[in-house]
Amino acid sequence: MQDTISIPSLGDPESLRLAVEMTRIARDMAACEEVDRFAATGWLPDRFFDLLDAFYALYDSYIGHNIGASRLRIQCQAGCARCCRQAVHGVYSFEIISLYRQLRSRPDYPGIHDAFLRQANEFQALMADAGARGGDAGDVLTRALRAYAAKGNGCALLVGSQCGVYEHRPVPCRMYHSLTDPILCVTPLGHTFNLEPPAQAAEILAGLSDRLAFPYSEFLAQGLVVFAAQRQFRPWAPA
């Protein structure tokens, strides 16, 4: 659940500086000429992923600054993993590529893939059930997301109570915060919010995501499963 939270520091000089830097890096990512050849080559250069890491670092600074400057009493802490038991939705396509690039050569990847496949099938069944009850696309998605969270299944990337790809976790995992005890996150008593990337940077990244032109789902589990099935894509090695 997401509430409207006042973040007065979003317009202060430091937030604006970080927003400018994030937008610059987003433009540099979008300017990589390999992006428009990805459908044919299945490859992006190391520089692209270095830029993504730089964007993540700035985004973390942006979040940290605004939480501190706005005096938000965030209850999230290392080892909680409550949000890791919700469906990760709204992932950019290049984040799917980046995660697959990180995971593909790991010895535990087959088990991770199988776990994501089970979660993808489960979420698809919940979407079908939610759709059968009517409503617009937003209503259907919301019901499915809530039903998935109620099951409490951990993300396939969890190692104990820690994220196994923490440094490379996607934007939806970084933006989610709780002002109440995390045990309340998916209940009516929870007071949660998303601190999203600045609008201009987000617009550029959304356009970049679309340009990569491969079939993917914004739900992390489905996106990774679909991407792994496309054998022509080789994001982990030069074309």
Side-chain angles (χ1 to χ4, degrees), residues 6-26:
S6 174
I7 307 177
S9 61
L10 285 174
D12 73 14
E14 179 63 4
S15 285
L16 295 177
R17 182 190 72 80
L18 289 166
V20 167
E21 284 298 299
M22 291 165 70
T23 301
R24 178 185 62 80
I25 290 179

Side-chain angles (χ1 to χ4, degrees), residues 218-231:
E218 292 185 8
F219 174 43
L220 178 62
Q222 286 180 319
L224 279 168
V225 168
V226 169
F227 188 77
Q230 308 301 309
R231 298 296 185 184

Side-chain angles (χ1 to χ4, degrees), residues 152-200:
N153 296 328
C155 175
L157 297 174
L158 272 180
V159 180
S161 61
Q162 303 291 330
C163 176
V165 292
Y166 188 77
E167 292 183 356
H168 302 283
R169 70 197 188 284
V171 165
C173 297
R174 295 170 190 264
M175 69 167 61
Y176 187 84
H177 296 85
S178 179
L179 294 173
T180 50
D181 190 311
I183 200 170
L184 303 175
C185 280
V186 295
T187 74
L189 298 178
H191 201 45
T192 65
F193 70 98
N194 292 333
L195 211 169
E196 301 179 4
Q200 190 172 11

Side-chain angles (χ1 to χ4, degrees), residues 128-156:
D129 181 67
R133 287 181 278 156
D136 61 25
D139 291 336
V140 170
L141 177 60
T142 297
R143 286 198 295 268
L145 290 171
R146 288 177 175 171
Y148 187 93
K151 290 179 176 292
N153 296 328
C155 175

Side-chain angles (χ1 to χ4, degrees), residues 81-109:
R82 176 67 58 171
C83 57
C84 303
R85 300 184 182 281
Q86 301 183 42
V88 180
H89 191 270
V91 180
Y92 292 118
S93 64
F94 52 83
E95 294 184 298
I96 295 291
I97 298 167
S98 176
L99 285 172
Y100 188 62
R101 180 174 180 261
Q102 300 296 324
L103 295 169
R104 183 63 179 83
S105 61
R106 285 175 39 165
D108 59 347
Y109 171 71

